[in-house]
């Protein structure tokens, strides 16, 4: 996830050549238009390109892309520029864009702190969040503070040039080496008089600044998407802020992590290989087995030369003396020692980070089409990253299962929106709206999560007649999703019974998902067997059931379902393709037998050809 040196030069070169490319494109278009069959081909290719453009064009936050969109002062929101003193220093600041002037008494209840993506585009993320606030009519209740982790130095006078806010002679913190420098808590560039500051410490400085300058704020939401999600998660793991769901100043704090490329694991285990196939495993994916990578375990993830758990993929190397001075890991070690004095060894670090994280109010959100393979550059594809999964959605769901496995009595809070790698669709989703503006709803910090898990288990105990199908079984086509509030398992069953198309449902994290699939298996009096692990569980009806029915488990089952199931649609499409191909071959073979003198347009010949082709096709299909 590191930007290579020279990335800015490559970006500038691309911008300089784009005008010449447009001129050449005009000549290509004229040449294509002069030939009708080329024009038809061009239109087909254009349609194919557009069908993939929605997701691919939204990958601007991918940390593998180069360049920076940081501008001092801001290009579009200069009047909203503000400075946050870092660690109380009057001569060092973090540039931010704030929707309301600091220092005035406000009636805003919610402050949203926004972390930008890999191209350091604070203005884009500020505009996106402002659109969300206006869309939900929350402008009078909300202040937005978008942080700018710039790659070039900036003075307070330059940053505030178009602002009415007080100017000082302070210098900004900036991180010029790579995206990994600021994403992972590395120290900013320093000079002869200043060693720099961790990007995590810079975020830590923003929270008390908000509490001081927006005194009406009752709660704070910190949100990061893509590279900002990577930074937000690692900050959530490493920072003392957020413990018990509050800032160090006592203000309720919620952290929202959106579709990061990689995750910081809380122990040394990783998903087994069968949890991370290089395929789209869907939004219901979960992982039931985690092992410490080993050369002796056939199904374990790769060891990556023993580096799979090094920070920022885990907590390996986070102790004094374990690395060279000036590395990101040592920067984070220094940050940890400045915020927590009771650090002795890596085992103690692991335990402390797990216990503290479990009390934080952290929510995750992923796109259901964010499934482009990381082996093709859509996310980090190095060895340590690939131990976590093969695409962003799969990695996120693997991490949800990891949190359940690593943190006792913990229920991870997450949602899946409709879309690819797109922060606009993420922020405008109903899930984000609920988390941002209905702060008191849902399950929050770890303590509440523990209560929620116990509640879910007790609800399942009330319906012990249910039987659970082993994870990995096909789930059938989706009929309807119920995610507008928290549901209990009995409500899910009732909703399924009331829907004539419903033959199964998925239940997890207090949401219901009705499905079209039933199963053939033993009688409904079958005994309940052990439940598969994972965030969701699937409950099936027997195929011969009518109306309400008990549900049962069978590991080796013959699956059937509604005619619209994804499996049947795929089978039908494949069958149609084969039939069409065979028909084409038969017709071609028949044409080769026709004498040259027979006119192809003659009705009698065409009819005869059709009959012979049909007969040949029927024989081939029968074979």
């Amino acid at each position: 996830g590191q930007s290579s040196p020279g990335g800015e030069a490559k970006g500038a070169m691309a911008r300089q050549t784009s005008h010449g490319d447009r001129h050449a494109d005009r000549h290509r278009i004229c040449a294509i238009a002069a030939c009708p069959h080329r024009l038809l081909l061009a239109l087909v290719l254009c349609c194919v390109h557009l069908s993939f453009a929605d997701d691919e064009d939204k990958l601007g936050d991918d940390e593998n892309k180069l360049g920076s969109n940081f501008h001092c002062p801001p290009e579009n929101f200069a009047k909203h520029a503000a400075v946050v003193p870092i660690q109380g220093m009057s001569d060092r600041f973090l540039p931010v864009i704030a929707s309301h002037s600091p220092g005035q008494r406000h009636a805003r209840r919610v402050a949203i702190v926004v972390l930008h993506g890999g191209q350091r585009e604070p203005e884009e993320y500020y505009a996106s969040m402002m659109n969300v606030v206006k869309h939900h009519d929350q402008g009078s209740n909300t202040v937005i503070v978008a942080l700018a982790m710039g790659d070039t130095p900036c003075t307070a006078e330059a940053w505030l040039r178009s602002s009415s806010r007080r100017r000082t002679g302070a210098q900004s913190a900036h991180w010029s080496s790579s995206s990994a420098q600021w994403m992972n808590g590395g120290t900013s560039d320093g000079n002869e008089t200043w060693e720099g500051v961790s990007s995590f410490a810079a975020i830590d400085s923003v929270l008390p600044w908000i509490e001081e300058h927006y005194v009406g704020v009752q709660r704070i939401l910190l949100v990061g998407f893509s590279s900002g999600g990577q930074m937000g998660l690692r900050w959530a793991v490493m920072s003392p802020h957020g413990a018990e769901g509050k800032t160090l100043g006592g203000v309720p704090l919620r952290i929202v992590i959106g579709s990061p490329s990689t995750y910081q694991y809380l122990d040394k285990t990783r998903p087994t290989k069968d949890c991370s196939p290089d395929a789209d495993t869907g939004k219901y994916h979960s992982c039931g087995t985690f092992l410490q990578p080993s050369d002796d375990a056939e199904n374990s993830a790769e060891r990556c030369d023993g580096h799979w758990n090094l920070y920022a993929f885990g907590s390996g190397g986070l102790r004094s003396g374990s690395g060279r001075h000036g590395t990101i890991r040592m920067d984070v070690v220094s940050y940890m020692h400045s915020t927590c004095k009771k650090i002795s060894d890596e085992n103690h670090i692991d335990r402390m980070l797990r216990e503290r994280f479990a009390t934080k109010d952290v929510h995750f959100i992923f796109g259901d089409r964010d499934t482009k393979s990381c082996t093709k550059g859509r996310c980090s594809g190095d060895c340590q990253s690939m131990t976590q999964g093969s695409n962003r959605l799969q990695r996120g769901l693997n991490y949800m299962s990891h949190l359940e496995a690593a943190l006792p009595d913990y229920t991870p809070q997450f949602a899946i929106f409709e879309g690819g790698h797109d922060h606009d669709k993420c922020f405008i989703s109903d899930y984000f709206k609920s988390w941002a503006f209905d702060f008191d709803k849902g399950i929050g910090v770890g303590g509440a999560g523990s209560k929620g898990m116990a509640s879910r288990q007790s609800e399942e105990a009330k319906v012990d007649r249910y039987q659970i199908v082993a994870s990995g079984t096909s789930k059938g086509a989706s009929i309807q999703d119920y995610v507008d509030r928290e549901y209990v398992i009995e409500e899910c069953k009732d909703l399924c019974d009331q829907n004539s198309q419903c033959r199964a449902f998925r239940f997890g994290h207090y949401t219901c998902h009705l499905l079209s699939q039933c199963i053939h298996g033993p009688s409904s009096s079958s005994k309940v067997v052990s439940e598969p692990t994972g965030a969701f569980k699937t409950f099936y009806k027997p195929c011969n059931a009518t109306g309400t029915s008990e549900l049962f488990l069978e590991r080796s089952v013959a699956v059937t379902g509604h005619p619209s199931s994804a499996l049947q649609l795929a089978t039908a499409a494949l069958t149609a393709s084969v039939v069409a191909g065979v028909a084409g071959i038969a017709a071609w073979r028949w044409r080769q037998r026709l004498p040259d003198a027979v006119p192809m347009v003659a009705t009698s010949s065409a009819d005869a050809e059709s009959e012979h082709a049909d007969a040949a096709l029927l024989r081939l299909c029968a074979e």
Side-chain angles (χ1 to χ4, degrees):
Q2 297 188 17
S3 300
S4 61
E8 293 177 38
K10 292 180 182 178
M13 185 180 299
R15 287 190 293 272
Q16 292 170 1
T17 58
S18 63
H19 299 289
D21 290 343
R22 292 195 193 101
H23 182 69
D25 283 342
R26 293 193 188 100
H27 291 282
R28 295 190 189 102
I29 291 170
C30 291
I32 290 172
C35 191
H37 70 270
R38 288 185 181 179
L39 179 59
L40 178 61
L41 177 62
L43 289 173
V44 171
L45 293 175
C46 181
C47 292
V48 172
H49 171 73
L50 290 175
S51 68
F52 292 98
D54 179 60
D55 282 344
E56 294 185 357
D57 290 349
K58 291 297 185 180
L59 294 174
D61 300 326
D62 195 318
E63 67 280 1
N64 294 319
K65 295 199 173 185
L66 305 176
S68 170
N69 288 318
F70 172 74
H71 301 283
C72 178
E75 284 189 332
N76 302 307
F77 300 100
K79 292 183 179 179
H80 294 280
V83 298
V84 176
I86 293 178
Q87 296 178 327
M89 295 182 291
S90 60
D91 59 341
R92 301 293 173 185
F93 74 94
L94 181 70
V96 301
I97 302 173
S99 59
H100 298 81
S101 297
Q104 301 177 9
R105 191 168 187 86
H106 295 279
R108 274 82 195 175
R109 296 187 304 135
V110 180
I112 300 180
V113 179
V114 185
L115 306 177
H116 57 67
Q119 293 195 30
R120 314 193 204 213
E121 56 281 71
E123 295 183 73
E124 178 181 337
Y125 274 72
Y126 172 83
S128 179
M129 192 59 65
M130 181 59 71
N131 289 337
V132 171
V133 169
K134 291 180 178 179
H135 177 77
H136 296 302
D137 196 24
Q138 295 291 327
S140 60
N141 296 324
T142 308
V143 57
I144 301 171
V145 180
L147 312 191
M149 303 288 173
D151 59 331
T152 55
C154 178
T155 65
E157 182 178 6
W159 183 253
L160 301 175
R161 182 172 298 165
S162 300
S163 171
S164 60
R165 294 159 192 173
R166 184 171 59 90
R167 294 174 173 81
T168 68
Q171 296 283 333
S172 72
H174 65 283
W175 293 260
S176 65
S177 295
S178 67
S179 294
Q181 185 186 10
W182 59 266
M183 275 194 298
N184 297 322
T187 299
S188 64
D189 296 11
N191 53 35
E192 298 81 4
T193 61
W194 189 47
E195 293 184 352
V197 64
S198 165
S199 59
F200 292 165
I203 297 178
D204 289 344
S205 298
V206 173
L207 302 182
W209 179 80
I210 289 175
E211 295 169 14
E212 177 184 354
H213 290 85
Y214 300 94
V215 293
V217 166
Q218 301 173 15
R219 51 188 183 258
I220 298 174
L221 181 84
L222 184 138
V223 56
F225 186 87
S226 194
S227 295
Q230 290 200 82
M231 183 189 197
L233 174 60
R234 287 159 176 84
W235 173 82
V237 172
M238 307 305 301
S239 174
H241 283 281
E244 304 300 333
K246 296 181 180 180
T247 68
L248 294 180
V251 176
L253 172 66
R254 175 168 291 169
I255 303 163
V256 177
I257 307 300
S259 298
S261 176
T262 62
Y263 296 79
Q264 182 178 353
Y265 272 61
L266 302 180
D267 62 24
K268 294 180 180 179
T269 68
R270 292 296 182 271
T272 51
K273 288 181 179 178
D274 55 9
C275 289
S276 304
D278 190 7
D280 178 1
T281 48
K283 64 181 180 180
Y284 297 126
H285 172 80
S286 63
C287 181
T289 309
F290 292 81
L291 297 174
Q292 183 167 319
S294 168
D295 293 333
D296 300 326
E298 182 179 350
N299 197 31
S300 75
E302 300 294 328
R303 295 188 70 253
C304 306
D305 297 324
H307 298 158
W308 82 90
N309 198 49
L310 286 179
Y311 182 83
F313 302 98
S315 58
L318 291 182
R319 56 184 176 83
S320 297
S322 63
R324 293 179 293 104
H325 179 72
T327 63
I328 292 177
R329 277 196 293 276
M330 288 302 97
D331 291 345
V332 175
V333 168
S334 299
Y335 168 77
M336 282 204 316
H337 279 280
S338 70
T339 59
C340 180
K341 306 299 181 183
K342 301 177 181 179
I343 299 177
S344 55
D345 56 37
E346 284 188 19
N347 290 331
H348 180 262
I349 292 171
D350 279 344
R351 186 171 61 255
M352 181 268 290
L353 295 180
R354 282 196 301 268
E355 292 174 353
R356 189 171 65 183
F357 184 85
T359 72
K360 298 190 177 188
D361 185 6
V362 184
H363 289 55
F364 297 84
I365 187 166
F366 321 109
D368 65 353
R369 297 199 302 275
D370 203 352
T371 56
K372 303 291 185 181
S373 175
C374 296
T375 62
K376 296 184 171 58
R378 300 308 185 189
C379 36
S380 298
D382 53 75
C383 183
Q384 293 99 320
S385 301
M386 295 303 292
T387 65
Q388 302 181 5
S390 66
N391 60 65
R392 289 179 189 262
L393 176 59
Q394 186 186 91
R395 288 179 182 180
L397 296 177
N398 279 345
Y399 192 70
M400 298 301 96
S401 297
H402 160 70
L403 293 179
E404 282 192 310
L407 305 177
D409 300 324
Y410 181 84
T411 303
Q413 303 300 306
F414 72 95
I416 299 177
F417 67 92
E418 294 183 358
H421 198 63
D422 186 336
H423 64 270
D424 289 318
K425 289 183 179 178
C426 171
F427 296 157
I428 205 66
S429 68
D430 289 337
Y431 303 107
F432 185 81
K433 172 184 178 292
S434 175
W435 295 346
F437 306 119
D438 301 328
F439 216 76
D440 300 325
K441 293 184 179 179
I443 299 173
V445 298
S450 302
K451 180 179 179 182
M453 175 66 79
S455 173
R456 184 177 70 177
Q457 291 172 342
S458 65
E459 290 294 338
E460 290 185 4
K462 296 177 184 178
V463 286
D464 55 6
R465 64 182 181 277
Y466 283 94
Q467 312 275 332
I468 303 168
V469 169
S471 59
T473 303
S474 175
K475 307 300 188 300
S478 175
I479 296 174
Q480 191 164 357
D481 298 320
Y482 291 89
V483 296
D484 56 317
R485 60 175 177 84
E486 292 179 11
Y487 289 83
V488 296
I489 199 169
E490 275 287 4
E491 292 179 299
C492 291
K493 179 185 180 298
D494 291 341
L495 290 169
C496 186
D497 285 339
Q498 294 163 13
N499 190 312
S500 61
Q501 293 181 313
C502 181
R503 313 305 297 274
F505 67 85
R506 295 268 288 171
F507 175 76
H509 300 292
Y510 306 97
T511 64
C512 298
H513 307 272
L514 305 189
L515 305 169
S516 65
Q517 178 178 294
C518 63
I519 59 174
H520 292 296
S523 68
S524 59
S525 60
S526 172
K527 300 291 185 182
V528 177
V529 300
S530 59
E531 299 178 356
T533 58
F536 286 86
K537 295 181 175 67
T538 305
F539 301 85
Y540 291 77
K541 288 182 180 181
C543 291
N544 58 359
T546 57
T548 60
S549 175
E550 297 177 355
L551 308 178
F552 60 89
L553 167 74
E554 176 68 5
R555 288 190 177 275
S556 299
V557 296
V559 177
T560 156
H562 192 268
S564 63
S565 71
L567 179 61
Q568 289 174 314
L569 287 175
T571 304
L574 179 60
T575 302
S577 299
V578 172
V579 170
V582 171
I585 292 172
W588 176 81
R589 288 174 60 186
W590 176 252
R591 287 192 185 98
Q592 303 309 305
R593 302 173 187 167
L594 292 177
D596 293 340
V598 177
M600 296 299 294
V601 296
T603 304
S604 57
S605 299
D607 292 341
E609 177 185 354
S610 176
E611 290 175 3
H612 285 287
D614 289 345
L617 176 59
L618 289 173
R619 287 195 300 273
L620 288 170
C621 287
E623 293 171 358

